[in-house]
Amino acid sequence: MAEQQKLRLDLQVSPPQKSGENYVFNVAVIALRKTRAVENVHVEILCDGVSQGQIVTDENGGAATDIGVTVNKESCLVLARTIGEEVVIAYKILNFPKKEVKKASGPAKLIVNPRRIENRILFHIKVLDEKNRAVPNVKILIIDTSIQNIPDAQTAENGECAHNTNLMPGEECEIMISVIGYGKIFRRTFYGRNGVANTTTGETEEN
């Protein structure tokens, strides 16, 4: 029997349109295995980690919904995540017109340093401003496909926070870390290893 192709999501987000005090935009997804449309895939849509509900793909693999948000930041991370055993994510950063942003931006840099101990991966996260000063009390969105829930995370007074994940041998896990409202993103795929245990420190990534 042929191995089943991995599921993937194509995500499209329309430009935001003003509607009263809010901005409205359309979110559309297509679920595919290689080039074949996949029907009846349940997809949760999130804006900066807040669920906007679920949509279900039709016989053409497509589904769409309109979303309205209040603009109080410079950008919004729109995330599509499949519901079920096969977790797949796709995202777009939606930028709002600068004249509509009601508060000044703070975080300018997201630094993530993953450190691996056997199949446990520890993520040290730090947020800095334009002058490389720590930014406290910033909400951090962490998407970890090895778990169903979205962890609550916020930087401490030193601008830092952490996340840990444990992998099974052969498991594939996608990690996405974002500063909510500011469009700073770290994204990488990790794989559970077989055999001899080891310890490595990953390269620090700045966004």
Side-chain angles (χ1 to χ4, degrees):
M1 181 180 293
E3 183 179 352
Q4 181 172 257
Q5 294 288 335
K6 288 184 178 180
L7 181 68
R8 67 181 176 89
L9 286 179
D10 283 349
L11 171 66
Q12 296 296 325
V13 179
S14 70
Q17 301 294 324
K18 192 71 180 292
S19 176
E21 294 298 317
N22 296 337
Y23 266 89
V24 177
F25 52 93
N26 181 264
V27 176
V29 300
I30 299 177
L32 298 166
R33 292 194 189 277
K34 204 169 183 177
T35 58
R36 181 175 62 84
V38 184
E39 184 180 3
N40 201 34
V41 176
H42 291 247
V43 181
E44 183 179 22
I45 306 298
L46 303 99
C47 291
D48 283 339
V50 178
S51 178
Q52 305 296 316
Q54 295 184 25
I55 52 180
V56 182
T57 60
D58 59 21
E59 65 275 10
N60 297 313
T65 186
D66 290 326
I67 293 175
V69 295
T70 301
V71 177
N72 58 2
K73 49 201 168 188
E74 62 187 43
S75 65
C76 173
L77 176 66
V78 181
L79 182 85
R81 181 178 68 165
T82 58
I83 303 299
E85 292 184 1
E86 192 173 3
V87 180
V88 179
I89 63 174
Y91 73 91
K92 297 281 186 181
I93 296 176
L94 182 67
N95 293 310
F96 298 108
K98 291 184 177 180
K99 64 181 181 180
E100 295 292 341
V101 177
K102 298 179 181 178
K103 64 179 182 181
S105 62
K109 188 182 296 183
L110 169 66
I111 301 173
V112 180
N113 183 20
R115 182 170 183 266
R116 184 167 195 141
I117 304 175
E118 299 182 11
N119 275 334
R120 185 184 185 201
I121 305 173
L122 302 85
F123 298 88
H124 177 254
I125 304 162
K126 189 165 188 174
V127 180
L128 303 175
D129 66 10
E130 293 85 351
K131 297 182 179 179
N132 287 326
R133 297 174 299 194
V135 183
N137 305 317
V138 172
K139 290 185 178 180
I140 303 295
L141 174 63
I142 300 173
I143 301 296
D144 181 339
T145 60
S146 69
I147 59 177
Q148 286 292 333
N149 297 327
I150 298 177
D152 290 326
Q154 182 169 298
T155 57
E157 289 301 315
N158 60 0
E160 299 178 7
C161 65
H163 175 67
N164 301 330
T165 193
N166 294 287
L167 301 180
M168 299 294 291
E171 181 181 6
E172 178 180 322
C173 171
E174 188 166 359
I175 298 288
M176 188 173 73
I177 299 171
S178 171
V179 182
I180 290 180
Y182 296 96
K184 310 298 179 182
I185 293 177
F186 165 94
R187 185 176 184 180
R188 190 187 291 180
T189 302
F190 295 86
Y191 299 90
R193 295 174 179 169
N194 297 298
V196 180
N198 53 48
T199 302
T200 61
T201 300
E203 294 182 0
T204 298
E205 293 199 9
E206 297 186 7
N207 295 276

